[in-house]
């Protein structure tokens, strides 16, 4: 009895161990698969965030603009270009090297199905005169009680071609009135936009002058400088030759250009012309933009309570 009991207990323990081993193997495989999926998702997110948007181009102007800009993202999975020169304007955006804007659609002849000729098309008339002869209209039966005047009226109505309900032509006065209304509405909309822009400018200036917002304004200027320095090309050379025709205004613009270039750290070369009115430029550039850096600065700005309160004051003023 003891021998049989020990054998039975040994068989049950072995089955339990086999079941536990299988369960642990299934959980191990499931965990490895989930860990691989999560790891691939994290790698994909990091690749999207840390991959920079690379761009390069050249801007030239000597009486006529000549602009050429190219950009790519995620190892040229997304790419595009913009060209503006004497021949006109060209632009394209590609995904996996396939154009999204300049798609060449097939002609209508290729899209239409070829139809086989029917039996009536293959039949030829015996004489060409019979082929072009018009069918005679059916004769109308005239009732006996109709008078001659009524008969003439019906003939005149039958001869008149059906009218296609032509639109009434506008008079010159109405056309001038429509043009005047369009111009008035355009001026009204533009005046409202300018008024709103001036109101917003006054709000911003009043909030900037407030002593309580000095810290938030300084933080915003520093953040704006960082963003512009990151977005602007790392490798560039800005050559400008300009003149306004007035030596005084030319000198003022020259000082503003060098002050702005020194604030942003630009490689600026300006050749002023104090005699003639001219403007020429040649700007080759190359740079990149990191999405992760911009998101980091956006999060920092959102967590700054003083800066966000300053933005809310401008919006709700």
């Amino acid at each position: 009895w003891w021998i049989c009991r020990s054998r039975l207990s040994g068989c049950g323990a072995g089955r339990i161990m086999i079941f536990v081993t299988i369960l642990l193997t299934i959980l191990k495989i499931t965990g490895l698969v989930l860990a691989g999926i999560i790891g691939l998702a994290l790698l994909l997110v990091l690749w999207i965030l840390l991959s920079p948007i690379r761009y390069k181009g050249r801007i030239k102007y000597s009486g006529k603009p000549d602009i050429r800009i190219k950009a790519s993202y995620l190892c040229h999975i997304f790419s595009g270009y913009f060209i503006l020169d004497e021949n006109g304007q060209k632009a394209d955006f590609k995904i996996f090297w396939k154009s999204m804007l300049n798609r060449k659609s097939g002609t209508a002849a290729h899209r239409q199905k070829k139809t086989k000729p029917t039996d009536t098309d293959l039949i030829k008339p015996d004489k060409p005169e019979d082929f072009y002869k018009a069918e005679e209209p059916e004769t109308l039966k005239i009732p006996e009680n109709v008078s001659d005047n009524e008969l003439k009226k019906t003939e005149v109505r039958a001869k008149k071609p059906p009218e296609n309900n032509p639109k009434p032509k506008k008079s010159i006065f109405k056309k001038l009135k429509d043009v005047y209304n369009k111009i008035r509405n355009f001026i009204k909309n533009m005046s409202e936009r300018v008024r709103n822009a001036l109101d917003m400018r006054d709000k911003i200036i009043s909030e900037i002058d407030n002593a309580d917002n000095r810290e938030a304004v300084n933080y915003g200027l520093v953040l704006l400088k960082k963003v512009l320095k990151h977005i602007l090309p790392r490798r560039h050379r800005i050559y400008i030759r300009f003149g306004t025709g007035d030596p005084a205004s030319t000198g003022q613009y020259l000082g503003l250009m060098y002050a702005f270039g020194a604030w942003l750290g630009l490689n600026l070369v300006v050749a002023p012309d104090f005699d003639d009115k001219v403007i020429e430029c040649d700007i080759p550039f190359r740079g990149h933009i990191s999405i992760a850096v911009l998101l980091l600065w956006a999060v920092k700005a959102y967590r700054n309570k003083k800066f966000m309160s300053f933005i809310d004051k401008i919006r709700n003023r």
Side-chain angles (χ1 to χ4, degrees):
W1 183 77
W2 286 105
I3 294 169
C4 294
R5 185 178 179 183
S6 61
R7 287 180 179 178
L8 290 173
S9 62
C11 292
R15 290 177 180 176
I16 292 171
M17 290 299 296
I18 293 171
F19 176 74
V20 171
T21 304
I22 294 172
L23 181 63
L24 291 175
T25 305
I26 293 171
L27 292 175
K28 182 181 177 180
I29 294 171
T30 306
L32 289 174
V33 171
L34 290 175
I37 293 172
I38 293 171
L40 288 175
L42 289 175
L43 287 175
L44 182 61
V45 171
L46 290 175
W47 183 45
I48 292 172
L49 292 177
L50 298 179
S51 293
I53 301 172
R54 303 183 183 275
Y55 63 91
K56 63 179 180 179
R58 188 162 194 163
I59 300 173
K60 294 177 68 176
Y61 182 81
S62 57
K64 294 181 179 179
D66 187 3
I67 302 172
R68 300 175 185 273
I69 301 172
K70 292 182 179 180
S72 63
Y73 181 53
L74 295 179
C75 298
H76 291 273
I77 293 177
F78 302 94
S79 62
Y81 68 87
F82 175 79
I83 298 174
L84 178 62
D85 54 8
E86 297 178 355
N87 298 325
Q89 179 178 337
K90 297 179 182 179
D92 194 8
F93 176 71
K94 296 180 180 180
I95 299 176
F96 285 106
W97 302 277
K98 186 176 181 181
S99 177
M100 296 288 106
L101 299 179
N102 299 329
R103 292 184 177 180
K104 294 182 179 180
S105 59
T107 57
H110 292 287
R111 286 178 293 187
Q112 289 179 354
K113 295 182 180 179
K114 294 183 179 180
T115 58
K116 295 182 179 180
T118 58
D119 296 336
T120 55
D121 296 333
L122 298 176
I123 296 173
K124 294 183 180 180
D126 296 335
K127 297 180 180 179
E129 292 81 6
D130 298 337
F131 184 76
Y132 294 105
K133 188 182 289 184
E135 294 182 356
E136 294 181 359
E138 296 180 356
T139 57
L140 297 175
K141 293 182 179 181
I142 302 172
E144 298 177 355
N145 298 328
V146 177
S147 61
D148 295 336
N149 294 328
E150 292 179 356
L151 183 59
K152 289 180 180 179
K153 289 180 182 179
T154 53
E155 289 178 356
V156 170
R157 289 176 184 175
K159 289 179 181 179
K160 284 185 179 180
E163 296 181 357
N164 294 327
N165 296 325
K167 295 181 179 179
K169 294 183 179 180
K170 292 183 179 180
S171 62
I172 298 174
F173 177 75
K174 288 185 177 180
K175 291 181 180 179
L176 293 175
K177 189 176 180 180
D178 294 339
V179 172
Y180 170 74
N181 291 329
K182 290 180 180 179
I183 295 172
R184 187 182 65 178
N185 294 329
F186 176 76
I187 294 172
K188 186 178 179 180
N189 295 330
M190 288 299 297
S191 62
E192 289 179 357
R193 292 179 182 178
V194 171
R195 195 181 301 110
N196 294 330
L198 292 175
D199 294 339
M200 181 60 68
R201 185 199 63 178
D202 296 336
K203 293 176 184 178
I204 294 172
I205 291 173
S206 62
E207 291 295 336
I208 289 173
D209 293 337
N210 191 354
D212 298 334
N213 300 325
R214 292 293 173 84
E215 186 177 353
V217 171
N218 292 331
Y219 177 80
L221 290 175
V222 172
L223 185 63
L224 178 62
K225 183 180 178 181
K226 289 181 180 180
V227 172
L228 290 177
K229 192 173 181 180
H230 178 73
I231 292 175
L232 290 175
R234 304 294 178 90
R235 298 174 59 185
H236 66 277
R237 181 179 176 272
I238 302 174
Y239 172 77
I240 299 175
R241 178 174 175 265
F242 83 101
T244 61
D246 184 13
S249 60
T250 302
Q252 291 176 359
Y253 286 119
L254 181 64
L256 290 174
M257 286 181 184
Y258 273 114
F260 186 73
W263 185 62
L264 292 176
L266 302 177
N267 184 10
L268 184 62
V269 178
V270 183
D273 191 343
F274 294 98
D275 298 328
D276 300 327
K277 186 176 181 181
V278 64
I279 180 168
E280 295 178 357
C281 69
D282 187 7
I283 310 171
F285 58 89
R286 182 191 297 269
H288 63 271
I289 302 171
S290 178
I291 299 175
V293 174
L294 296 179
L295 287 175
L296 181 62
W297 287 339
V299 171
K300 286 183 177 180
Y302 182 76
R303 293 183 63 183
N304 193 327
K305 295 181 180 180
K306 292 184 179 180
F307 181 73
M308 293 306 298
S309 62
F310 171 70
I311 298 297
D312 292 336
K313 286 179 182 178
I314 294 175
R315 287 179 178 178
N316 301 326
R317 187 178 175 82

